[in-house]
Amino acid sequence: MIEQPAYTGFGFSDEEWGLLVGLPQAVLTAASAAESDGTRRTMAESAAGLETIAAGRESASPLVAAVAGEIVTRVGDPETGAELPVIEPADPRAYIDDVLLRAGAAGELLAARVDEGEAGAYKHWLVKIAEQVVGAASSGGLLGIGGEAVSDSERRFRDRLAHVLID
């Protein structure tokens, strides 16, 4: 007997599952790109995002646990030292806008296919990923001293994401 992919149990097509699995990493990248922080800070943000994604494997939500498990299978487990490559979009604003559009599409998809609890858990997880990324390294300052924990542009991205997903 051929084993069915995990996403079929949730009623998603391959393309729909691709949206749900790709979005957490896209949120991580967009949150990091919201403020140009330099390589060291961007690496800290990426690590915080990957840890939050991986922590989703322990979620009470079967959907979040399945998506997180698939991402970790694809990119590696931070507990074993895996790191995501630093991705710096050529046009951060366009990338952020695209991620927000995809987040809206994912919200509509979830509303149509899963119960409110599963949809809410997935959306909350995405916002948590953004929060962890934007809070991972201070922005501004001089030689790593000073600066603000979350810049206005990072806060704006996080808030726009929450608005798209939750409102």
Side-chain angles (χ1 to χ4, degrees):
M1 176 176 240
I2 298 174
E3 188 175 320
Q4 294 293 318
Y7 61 82
T8 60
F10 294 104
F12 297 116
S13 70
D14 187 48
E15 181 179 336
E16 293 166 337
W17 187 248
L19 170 66
L20 296 176
V21 170
L23 196 52
Q25 286 178 268
V27 164
L28 183 164
T29 300
S32 183
E35 181 74 34
S36 180
D37 294 318
T39 303
R40 184 182 59 77
R41 290 177 177 157
T42 301
M43 288 176 65
E45 292 170 342
S46 182
L50 183 56
E51 287 174 15
T52 307
I53 289 170
R57 294 176 295 177
E58 304 300 320
S59 175
S61 162
L63 175 62
V64 171
V67 170
E70 181 142 340
I71 294 168
V72 170
T73 297
R74 291 180 182 185
V75 302
D77 190 339
E79 292 179 9
T80 62
E83 295 179 5
L84 289 175
V86 173
I87 298 171
E88 296 183 30
D91 185 348
R93 286 183 188 212
Y95 187 83
I96 287 169
D97 289 343
D98 178 63
V99 169
L100 293 171
L101 282 173
R102 287 189 279 159
E108 291 173 11
L109 172 64
L110 293 169
R113 297 285 174 81
V114 298
D115 66 46
E116 276 186 45
E118 286 294 329
Y122 180 86
K123 293 173 184 181
H124 176 75
W125 181 51
L126 290 180
V127 173
K128 185 174 182 176
I129 292 165
E131 288 175 345
Q132 294 299 313
V133 170
V134 301
S138 63
S139 298
L142 183 62
L143 299 174
I145 300 170
E148 53 190 330
V150 179
S151 73
D152 288 340
S153 58
E154 290 170 329
R155 187 176 298 107
R156 194 168 31 257
F157 170 72
R158 182 200 58 213
D159 293 349
R160 287 176 68 197
L161 178 65
H163 177 75
V164 164
L165 291 170
I166 299 167
D167 291 343

